[in-house]
């Protein structure tokens, strides 16, 4: 069965600094990959997705992610973090042919002034 | 109203109560989902409906009973719950097919079972 690992439970970044959130997946074939963000008291919002093609994908709010097949990774990056980016971030994998997303446990991002 | 709405936002119920959670989507989607979000655990998919038909039940206990009267509405009926059922229950919708992975979530119902 597929699985998603987000090794960092919490990350603190200074405002204006760069950000990288790690995501590793386990899946037998090329998966569909996603990053979602959840602000306090809100549902999840899709940041970006990878289905195929260019391994560097751009998303909303200035985020990007890179699919690295050799490392089974799909890390999320942002060059300059804003205080409003403080939230919980979830990586997810979709099993091709099945209507199902498997989520990681999430990384909580704290932004310091 | 836009997007996916859920009511109530907070619910406290005893183990012998019966209550229902409601989800409504205003996106014209034909697939709807219930997820359970517990602290320190990954989101757990509970049920999937496509065109009002249940297509997935992820081994959910029978004390949770979903209902999908049409493609815009989804309910989760609750009865004789356990304290470990306390969690955030999220509803989502999408279009079937490849777009089914682009799921739009509601804000959730925070359920506390006493």
């Amino acid at each position: 069965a597929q699985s998603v690992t987000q090794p960092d439970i919490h990350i603190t970044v200074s405002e204006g600094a760069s950000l990288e959130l790690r995501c590793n997946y386990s899946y037998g074939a090329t998966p569909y990959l996603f990053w979602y963000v959840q602000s306090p008291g809100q549902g999840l919002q899709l940041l970006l997705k990878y289905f195929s093609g260019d391994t560097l994908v751009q998303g909303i709010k200035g985020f990007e992610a890179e699919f690295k097949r050799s490392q089974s990774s799909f890390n999320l990056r942002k060059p300059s973090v804003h205080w409003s980016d403080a939230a919980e971030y979830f990586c997810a994998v979709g099993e091709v042919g099945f209507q199902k997303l498997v989520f990681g446990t999430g990384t909580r991002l704290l932004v310091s002034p | 109203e836009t997007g996916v709405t859920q009511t109530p936002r907070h619910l406290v119920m005893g183990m012998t109560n019966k209550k229902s959670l409601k989800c409504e989507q205003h996106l014209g989607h034909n697939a709807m989902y219930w997820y359970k979000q517990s602290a320190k655990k990954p989101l757990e998919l509970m049920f999937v409906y496509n065109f009002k038909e249940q297509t997935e039940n992820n081994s959910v206990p029978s004390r949770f009973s979903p209902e999908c009267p049409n493609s815009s509405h989804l309910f989760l009926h609750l009865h004789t719950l356990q304290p470990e059922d306390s969690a955030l229950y999220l509803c989502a919708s999408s279009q079937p097919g490849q777009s089914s992975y682009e799921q739009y979530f509601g804000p959730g119902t925070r359920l506390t079972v006493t």
Side-chain angles (χ1 to χ4, degrees), chain B residues 46-65:
Chain B
M46 300 174 72
F47 302 103
V48 181
Y49 278 81
N50 282 282
F51 297 95
K52 302 187 299 178
E53 298 299 319
Q54 186 181 120
T55 54
E56 176 119 11
N57 176 338
N58 201 23
S59 303
V60 180
S62 59
R63 58 185 183 270
F64 295 90
S65 175

Side-chain angles (χ1 to χ4, degrees), chain B residues 16 24 33 65 83 90 106:
Chain B
T16 58
E24 184 173 1
Y33 311 77
S65 175
L90 291 165

Side-chain angles (χ1 to χ4, degrees), chain A residues 32 34 36 38 41-46 49 51 88 90 93-101 103-105, chain B residues 9 31 33 35 37 40-43 45 48 50 55-56 58 88 90 94 98 100-103 105-107:
Chain A
Y32 296 160
F34 306 83
Y36 282 83
Q38 184 178 31
Q42 302 296 316
L44 279 70
Q45 180 184 22
L46 179 64
K49 61 185 184 284
F51 286 160
E88 188 146 22
F90 294 90
V93 59
E95 187 173 359
V96 177
F98 293 88
Q99 197 173 346
K100 182 184 287 191
L101 285 173
F103 286 85
T105 50
Chain B
R9 294 293 308 275
Y33 311 77
Y35 286 89
Q37 186 177 28
K40 298 188 172 70
K41 293 176 67 175
L43 262 75
L45 178 66
V48 181
N50 282 282
T55 54
E56 176 119 11
N58 201 23
L88 182 68
L90 291 165
S94 73
Q98 190 182 59
S100 68
Y101 304 102
E102 299 183 36
Q103 296 179 13
F105 285 80

Side-chain angles (χ1 to χ4, degrees), chain A residues 5 7 52 54-55 66 76 84 89 98 105-106 109 111:
Chain A
T5 301
S52 64
D54 193 346
T55 57
E66 186 171 13
L76 181 71
S84 60
Y89 292 80
F98 293 88
T105 50
L109 173 65
V111 180

Side-chain angles (χ1 to χ4, degrees), chain B residues 6-8 10-11 13 17-23 34 65 67 74-79 81 109 111:
Chain B
Q6 291 186 243
T7 54
H10 300 272
L11 178 63
M13 60 185 289
N17 290 159
K18 290 185 180 181
K19 296 286 185 183
S20 296
L21 310 185
K22 179 184 176 182
C23 174
W34 280 116
S65 175
E67 178 190 2
L74 184 64
F75 295 89
L76 188 63
H77 303 300
L78 316 171
H79 63 98
L81 294 190
T109 295
L111 174 67

